[in-house]
Amino acid sequence: MLQTPKVVLIGVNINNQKFFNESMTELKNLAVACQFEIVGIVEQNLKTPNLSYYIGSGKTEEVQRLMDYTAAEILIFNNELSPSQLRNLEKLFDCEILDRTALILEIFAKRAKTKEAKLQVEMAHLQYLLPRIIGAGQALSRQGGGTGGAGNRSRGEGEQKRELDRRRIIDKKNKIRQELELISRYRATQRKKRSSSGLPLVALVGYTNAGKSSLMNALIEEYSGAIDKKVLEKDLLFATLDTAVREINLPDNKRFLLADTVGFVSDLPHDLVKAFRSTLEEVREADLLLHVIDISNSNYLHQIKITDSTLKQIGADKIPVIKVYNKADLTDFSPPYLGVENDIYISAKKKIGLNELSQLICNEIFKKYIDCKMLIPYDCGKVIGYINKHAHVKMMKYQHEGVALHLSCSEADFRRYQQYIYQPAPPGQEHS
Ligand SMILES: Nc1nc2c(ncn2[C@@H]2O[C@H](COP(=O)(O)OP(=O)(O)OP(=O)(O)O)[C@@H](O)[C@H]2O)c(=O)[nH]1
Ligand SMILES: [Mg+2]
């Protein structure tokens, strides 16, 4: 395969779609992310797609001329093609055809590094492949390297061969499902361990390339100093495919877990979302979401909508959200700038607004914490240890009867250690 194959993008605007231009911009970015060279773009307005070729018959000639002129090798459609349209288009243009889903799968296949991510992408790929076995041709076998693919099939295979292919895919899917099941059980155990630590979970979500990983790294550096715990941040669509969870230690003993997750894009293939279900579990179980938005991107409003609808799709739309407008250093907003409600404008790259953001996070995740004073006898060392680890200790004083603490703690800990709660003695009578 050539390093940078030449591609022509095709966008059919069905019934005057509201976000057609934005979605074409996205398609261009996706093609670039896949290391394709865009040599032409064809757009058409239609009321309904053509049943055989998706594009209208007049357009097919224009596309053919463009392909001849530019020597393009691949046609990429901004829409999802039916198996028969895919087959007809391959025959007509005698070239590789990708639809939006196949393009996104291809990027994911290139990015997947860990075993889990690879299996998830392969699963989504097989799911995509199954109804398209007939005449899917090179478009799908190209992904073989990254996803383990379905092998090289030539066009015009017999029915028997197709049935064999179909069975092979189903068997493979079952095998992958079992492997993923194992990994997902391990993940669930990890999550259980984490939730028993009592630390709240905050998840970074948002459109791809908004700066989620950069924000995670900035918070790690600022508050945990654990530079070795940093994650990959890169000017790349879908740089992150795996969820990473890190502990953030704020002053005042305020601690929470922060999860970095895969970015979203419009029309994220349903099979892919399904395959990434266990990776996205952290988002569903989070106590708070930080919706990271690239405010310097002219399409940011569209990107907010995409994130909101993807959150709904994965069942995470009822979780409290702070909107974090990132990359404000590239705009006229001078960060840190607090917006309406829980919004904040920051720069993860320049580390501006991190203190203000962590204050907002704490206000949200610790809002049910109760302020109280405790006196714990010295022979209850375990309780003192627990409180020091789990509560936010504001003041600690060694007195005659034990350790006096001014703290705020969760409702559960407040109830659990009620016997130690005391009313401070009137001024002048307290022990020193
Ligand atoms: N100017 C500027 N650039 C930023 C800022 N935050 C992140 N970036 C850049 O934006 C690009 C993407 O950052 P990432 O943190 O990888 O984005 P992401 O949201 O994790 O992306 P995916 O993992 O692909 O979904 C990188 O080149 C960052 O350096 C910021 O505050 N200001
Ligand atoms: Mg990332």
Side-chain angles (χ1 to χ4, degrees), residues 269-297:
H270 181 67
D271 288 340
L272 204 59
V273 174
K274 233 166 80 187
F276 274 72
R277 218 182 152 75
S278 107
T279 318
L280 287 168
E281 206 65 47
E282 259 81 10
V283 174
R284 249 203 311 271
E285 293 191 356
D287 300 291
L288 171 69
L289 303 179
L290 300 183
H291 178 168
V292 183
I293 298 148
D294 176 355
I295 185 72
S296 74
N297 190 305

Side-chain angles (χ1 to χ4, degrees), residues 210-211 213-219 221-222 230 233 325-331 333-336 345-356:
S213 302
S214 304
L215 179 55
M216 170 115 160
N217 287 340
L219 289 169
E221 215 171 287
E222 184 83 4
K230 283 168 88 171
E233 55 177 77
Y325 291 96
N326 189 33
K327 309 197 190 181
D329 55 294
L330 301 175
T331 69
F333 294 101
S334 49
Y345 294 69
I346 65 152
S347 168
K349 194 170 181 173
K350 304 220 155 145
K351 300 201 179 62
I352 305 173
L354 300 183
N355 283 335
E356 290 76 2

Side-chain angles (χ1 to χ4, degrees), residues 71-355:
E73 301 134 272
I74 303 171
L75 275 183
I76 303 178
F77 280 73
N78 194 20
N79 317 75
E80 186 153 344
L81 301 169
S82 73
S84 70
Q85 283 162 342
L86 198 63
R87 188 169 66 245
N88 293 340
L89 286 163
E90 276 194 346
K91 267 196 197 138
L92 181 70
F93 294 112
D94 191 27
C95 77
E96 183 172 342
I97 311 286
L98 293 177
D99 63 8
R100 193 183 175 88
T101 303
L103 180 64
I104 295 176
L105 283 174
E106 180 121 7
I107 301 174
F108 269 65
K110 279 190 174 146
R111 301 275 193 272
K113 291 276 178 302
T114 63
K115 184 166 183 205
E116 185 180 23
K118 281 182 184 164
L119 287 172
Q120 285 170 326
V121 176
E122 188 173 358
M123 184 68 161
H125 176 229
L126 292 175
Q127 223 113 278
Y128 173 86
L129 196 59
L130 207 50
R132 294 172 174 80
I133 295 174
I134 313 162
Q138 15 158 280
L140 296 157
S141 58
R142 271 178 82 251
Q143 296 188 358
T147 63
N152 299 308
R153 290 177 309 281
S154 57
R155 268 167 259 165
E157 295 160 324
E159 192 58 40
Q160 212 179 358
K161 171 79 170 57
R162 282 199 289 273
E163 180 54 24
L164 269 176
D165 271 352
R166 202 179 68 85
R167 272 196 231 144
R168 207 157 50 96
I169 291 176
I170 292 173
D171 284 350
K172 191 146 197 196
K173 262 180 63 180
N174 288 337
K175 238 179 104 190
I176 295 176
R177 189 173 292 122
Q178 282 169 5
E179 281 190 69
L180 278 173
E181 187 57 37
L182 271 181
I183 301 179
S184 143
R185 252 183 262 153
Y186 170 74
R187 268 188 172 284
T189 322
Q190 295 286 98
R191 269 201 307 280
K192 221 169 164 184
K193 252 196 218 160
R194 278 204 300 269
S195 74
S196 69
S197 75
L199 294 182
L201 177 65
V202 178
L204 291 154
V205 294
Y207 196 84
T208 178
N209 217 38
K212 300 177 291 301
S213 302
S214 304
L215 179 55
M216 170 115 160
N217 287 340
L219 289 169
I220 290 174
E221 215 171 287
E222 184 83 4
Y223 298 113
S224 302
I227 295 168
D228 57 322
K229 292 274 167 67
K230 283 168 88 171
V231 295
L232 170 78
E233 55 177 77
K234 212 166 175 188
D235 190 11
L236 201 71
L237 296 193
F238 304 117
T240 306
L241 288 194
D242 300 288
T243 301
V245 182
R246 303 284 186 265
E247 191 178 312
I248 303 292
N249 289 295
L250 299 177
D252 274 1
N253 206 16
K254 288 196 171 103
R255 296 184 301 148
F256 62 90
L257 297 170
L258 185 64
D260 183 23
T261 58
V262 60
F264 303 149
V265 71
S266 63
D267 300 324
L268 206 54
H270 181 67
D271 288 340
L272 204 59
V273 174
K274 233 166 80 187
F276 274 72
R277 218 182 152 75
S278 107
T279 318
L280 287 168
E281 206 65 47
E282 259 81 10
V283 174
R284 249 203 311 271
E285 293 191 356
D287 300 291
L288 171 69
L289 303 179
L290 300 183
H291 178 168
V292 183
I293 298 148
D294 176 355
I295 185 72
S296 74
N297 190 305
S298 55
N299 273 345
Y300 80 95
L301 284 175
H302 175 62
Q303 298 178 350
I304 291 177
K305 284 203 174 91
I306 289 163
T307 302
D308 285 343
S309 70
T310 315
L311 288 174
K312 203 164 179 188
Q313 200 185 342
I314 61 170
D317 54 328
K318 300 281 184 291
I319 303 169
V321 180
I322 294 177
K323 283 206 174 79
V324 182
Y325 291 96
N326 189 33
K327 309 197 190 181
D329 55 294
L330 301 175
T331 69
D332 290 338
F333 294 101
S334 49
Y337 170 84
L338 289 166
V340 285
E341 295 173 10
N342 250 353
D343 303 354
I344 184 165
Y345 294 69
I346 65 152
S347 168
K349 194 170 181 173
K350 304 220 155 145
K351 300 201 179 62
I352 305 173
L354 300 183
N355 283 335

